[in-house]
Structure formats: C-alpha cells, structure tokens
C-alpha cells in the first residue's frame, strides 16, 4: 500500500464498514430498545416484551455478532489492499 490512492481506497472501505456497523448497532440498541419499545410491547420473548428484550439482551447479542462480522470483513479488506497481518 505505497501510493495515496490505494491508501484512500483502504480507508474508504474501512469507514464504510464502520458506518454500516454503527447504523446496525444504533437501530438495534436505540431504535428497537428505546424508540420502538412501546410498539414492540405486545410481542413476548421469554416472559418479557420484545422492546425490553432488545434493550437488555438483544443489543448485546447484535453487538457480539457485529464484532465477529467486522473482524471477518476487515480481514478480507486487508487482504484486498495488501495490509494483512
């Protein structure tokens, strides 16, 4: 990754992955757990309504999945741009 265009392409891909991950995290944690909680109160999972479940458990599960998905995607991007470990 010697030239500036390759460096810019790498960071553009990196920022795109981060942005998508943050949007997914925001929708699951803030959107489903807080904003849409009243609308999800009629759906029950394990004795709790779905909004509460997302606020307490679902956002954590989504966050863990995002960690592994981010690592896998960044490894692929690193290989594509020649900066793999």
């Amino acid at each position: 990754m010697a030239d500036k265009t390759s460096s810019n392409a790498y960071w553009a891909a990196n920022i795109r992955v981060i942005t998508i991950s943050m949007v997914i995290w925001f929708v699951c944690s803030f959107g489903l757990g807080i904003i849409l909680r009243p609308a999800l109160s009629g759906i029950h999972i394990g004795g709790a309504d779905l909004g509460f479940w997302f606020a307490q458990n679902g956002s954590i599960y989504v966050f863990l999945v995002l960690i592994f998905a981010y690592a896998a995607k960044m490894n692929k991007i690193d290989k594509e741009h020649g900066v793999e470990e």
Side-chain angles (χ1 to χ4, degrees):
M1 194 167 70
D3 61 1
K4 190 164 178 68
T5 57
S6 179
S7 177
N8 288 341
Y10 174 77
W11 283 108
N14 190 357
I15 296 298
R16 184 173 53 252
V17 171
I18 290 171
T19 302
I20 292 169
S21 297
M22 293 297 287
V23 167
I24 292 170
W25 173 79
F26 177 81
V27 167
C28 287
S29 64
F30 191 73
L32 295 175
I34 297 172
I35 294 175
L36 295 176
R37 187 173 187 271
L40 299 173
S41 64
I43 304 169
H44 294 281
I45 289 184
D49 64 78
L50 188 59
F52 178 79
W53 186 85
F54 266 108
Q56 298 301 312
N57 300 321
S59 59
I60 294 169
Y61 294 145
V62 169
F63 184 63
L64 289 172
V65 169
L66 282 174
I67 290 171
F68 291 106
Y70 174 79
K73 184 65 175 173
M74 284 310 299
N75 284 336
K76 181 180 174 188
I77 290 172
D78 288 349
K79 287 179 185 174
E80 289 173 359
H81 293 277
V83 293
E84 70 272 7
E85 294 177 5

